[in-house]
Amino acid sequence: MTNYQWYPGHMTKARRMMQEDLKLVDLVIELADARIPLSSRNPDIDGLCKGKSRILLLCKADLADPEVTADFCRYFEGQGISAVPLDARTRAANGTIRTRVEEACRDRIERDRRRGIVGRPLRAMVAGIPNVGKSTFINSFAGRAGAKTGNKPGVTRGRQWIRMDRKLELLDTPGILWPKFEDPQVGVRLALTGAIREELLNEEELAQTLLGFLRENYPQLLRERYLADVPGEEIPGNLQELLQLIAVRRSLLRAGGLPDELRTARILLDELRSGKIGRISLETPPERKEAC
């Protein structure tokens, strides 16, 4: 399996910028991918944000297994981290987030009140890895297109302040990874969910990894989406042959009628990331058996 690593030069600058900007904010709103809440949390943020109030938003919760997401919320709450599942395309969780922000900043609000300071807005930094959904969250939370969005990692490169209202301002930051993934599976999960640029991926190998994961953890979703009406004895155990079978069933063929494995792999990865396969979590909390 390819060891996926991606740490372009601009991320070093972005990390320094984040460190400088932390003194300007009252709290950090950290975003993680609900499908991989552990693998999508940059460990550098823990060190950088020490002493700052923090809440954790589990973005793309509409794409994740809801039972596993509930387990993760309980896990993080047990770690003393306020966690909120979020479908950033809707505004359903906005009230909860507002409440959590005010709770996290209660001491600062009370300190201002005692000092007679009126009207100073809370300032929150929005941080997370590339392509986790920061800009989408900000746009939804603000109720307008206040930040650029894109489906490729690394769209936000510079500092952007977004004034929500008189009470709250958000600082959007570029998505940053960390220099080395100690656990190779972290790189695999980030690659599967689209946090690493596609040109760095071995997409056929990654799609086979996905098929193996689905077969073990979500066999019903795999069968319904790709193998309906295929007798069990005709489903190959070999993952490359399984990818080829799906190519044939989808009529994804190259010249001479050969299965187009690359095109099929790209479709599989796209359908995972868009939720077309179903609601899938690629990892579980530590007290449960690791999924992927």
Side-chain angles (χ1 to χ4, degrees):
M1 167 60 68
T2 301
N3 186 8
Y4 294 104
Q5 303 282 342
W6 183 50
Y7 193 71
H10 75 268
M11 290 191 183
T12 301
K13 180 181 177 183
R15 187 184 187 280
R16 280 199 304 268
M17 187 187 301
M18 178 184 290
Q19 194 166 17
E20 294 168 4
D21 289 341
L22 276 167
K23 62 187 110 177
L24 305 176
V25 302
D26 302 297
L27 81 156
V28 175
I29 299 176
E30 181 187 359
L31 274 62
D33 190 318
R35 298 165 296 178
I36 52 169
L38 299 176
S39 296
S40 60
R41 293 188 72 207
N42 186 338
D44 284 353
I45 290 178
D46 280 332
L48 289 170
C49 300
K50 193 166 290 184
K52 287 286 180 183
S53 299
R54 190 169 5 157
I55 63 174
L56 176 65
L57 304 185
L58 301 181
C59 288
K60 306 182 183 181
D62 54 304
L63 302 178
D65 185 324
E67 292 184 10
V68 178
T69 299
D71 286 344
F72 265 116
C73 286
R74 287 188 286 270
Y75 165 76
F76 286 121
E77 296 291 346
Q79 302 287 310
I81 300 171
S82 178
V84 181
L86 178 69
D87 174 359
R89 299 169 306 173
T90 76
R91 308 188 71 189
N94 285 0
T96 300
I97 296 168
R98 281 274 188 176
T99 299
R100 299 285 181 98
V101 166
E102 291 177 7
E103 288 174 352
C105 296
R106 186 178 294 135
D107 289 346
R108 206 223 78 175
I109 294 170
E110 179 59 25
R111 191 164 59 248
D112 279 0
R113 190 191 65 78
R114 288 197 306 268
R115 294 174 177 174
I117 299 173
V118 179
R120 183 165 69 170
L122 297 173
R123 291 182 133 195
M125 175 183 286
V126 182
I129 66 168
N131 207 30
V132 76
K134 293 189 305 299
S135 296
T136 302
F137 157 66
I138 289 171
N139 292 341
S140 173
F141 197 41
R144 64 185 185 278
K148 296 177 183 177
T149 61
N151 59 5
K152 289 188 176 182
V155 169
T156 304
R157 288 293 183 92
R159 182 189 288 117
Q160 297 185 73
W161 280 101
I162 297 94
R163 185 175 177 85
M164 305 291 291
D165 51 37
R166 291 185 299 105
K167 293 184 176 181
L168 180 63
E169 294 178 357
L170 300 181
L171 175 59
D172 192 13
T173 60
I176 55 171
L177 292 171
W178 51 109
K180 182 173 175 58
F181 308 140
E182 298 298 334
D183 179 358
Q185 288 303 308
V186 168
V188 171
R189 293 174 188 135
L190 290 169
L192 283 168
T193 53
I196 295 176
R197 287 197 182 277
E198 290 181 356
E199 57 263 30
L200 302 177
L201 307 181
N202 183 326
E203 291 165 301
E204 293 168 64
E205 183 182 74
L206 198 59
Q208 290 178 40
T209 299
L210 171 61
L211 288 173
F213 171 77
L214 292 174
R215 188 168 61 189
E216 182 175 346
N217 296 278
Y218 295 95
Q220 189 62 30
L221 294 181
L222 174 63
R223 176 171 282 280
E224 289 174 357
R225 184 73 185 172
Y226 302 109
L227 302 170
D229 305 322
V230 178
E233 64 273 12
E234 294 182 17
I235 298 176
N238 180 279
L239 294 175
Q240 184 176 8
E241 292 175 5
L242 182 55
L243 183 65
Q244 292 171 346
L245 173 61
I246 294 171
V248 171
R249 289 180 58 79
R250 287 283 186 99
S251 299
L252 301 169
L253 306 175
R254 293 183 283 120
L258 297 173
D260 191 334
E261 295 178 42
L262 179 57
R263 188 176 166 205
T264 306
R266 287 174 174 169
I267 288 173
L268 280 167
L269 295 173
D270 179 69
E271 293 190 349
L272 168 72
R273 294 164 186 166
S274 64
K276 289 180 181 178
I277 298 175
R279 299 184 66 173
I280 293 166
S281 291
L282 296 169
E283 65 185 1
T284 55
E287 60 264 28
R288 287 176 45 154
K289 180 178 178 293
E290 282 293 319
C292 181

